[in-house]
Each structure stands twice: as C-alpha cells, then as structure tokens.
Amino acid sequence: MKTIFINIKEPVFEETEKLSSELKKSTENYINEAIEYYNIHQNRKLLAQKLKEESYLVKEESMNVLKDFEEIDYED
C-alpha cells in the first residue's frame, strides 16, 4: 500500500468524516472506495469517448457499405 499526503477542502473532509462514520468505515477505507469508484467512472468516460471517436472514423465507410447493399438487386 502507498502512503500519500493530500490537501482536502475543509467542507469535503467534514462530509467525508461524517459519512464514513455513519457507514461505520474508516476514513481511509471510505476514501479508497471513493477513488476506486471514481477511477471506474473515468475509465468508462474515456472508453465512451474512444468509441465515439472510432465510430466517427468508420462512419463514412459504413455508409458506403450500406449504400452498396441497398443497390444489390436480390432475387427471390
């Protein structure tokens, strides 16, 4: 485990202390869980952005393929 020193705004720290106490968790565990949750959230946002960018890159080619399929004369 790593030890870090951070500055936390007083109102944020007070709310963290209050919530961790109500949840019967140590402040350390509460903050670790919060950071883990935030990391998951940020990774999902990055993935969504990447998918959006890559989807845009293939958009034109996908439309061309769709147009080609529409032009095919299917016989029964």
Side-chain angles (χ1 to χ4, degrees), residues 38-52:
Y38 190 72
N39 286 343
I40 291 168
H41 173 73
Q42 290 301 318
N43 279 320
R44 287 181 180 167
K45 281 178 63 175
L46 289 171
L47 179 59
Q49 181 63 33
K50 186 176 181 179
L51 289 172
K52 183 178 178 181

Side-chain angles (χ1 to χ4, degrees), residues 14 17-18 25 30 47 59-61 66-67 72:
E14 289 172 3
E17 289 279 291
K18 178 183 168 206
K25 295 181 179 191
Y30 182 86
L47 179 59
K59 176 183 172 184
E60 187 175 338
E61 183 60 27
L66 180 60
K67 189 180 290 185
I72 294 175

Side-chain angles (χ1 to χ4, degrees), residues 6-54:
I6 58 172
N7 293 318
I8 300 176
K9 295 176 185 172
E10 191 65 33
V12 174
F13 181 74
E14 289 172 3
E15 185 173 11
T16 300
E17 289 279 291
K18 178 183 168 206
L19 288 168
S20 63
S21 176
E22 287 180 22
L23 295 168
K24 304 208 181 334
K25 295 181 179 191
S26 70
T27 304
E28 178 182 341
N29 284 342
Y30 182 86
I31 292 172
N32 274 310
E33 287 178 9
I35 292 171
E36 184 176 352
Y37 177 81
Y38 190 72
N39 286 343
I40 291 168
H41 173 73
Q42 290 301 318
N43 279 320
R44 287 181 180 167
K45 281 178 63 175
L46 289 171
L47 179 59
Q49 181 63 33
K50 186 176 181 179
L51 289 172
K52 183 178 178 181
E53 290 169 0
E54 291 179 0

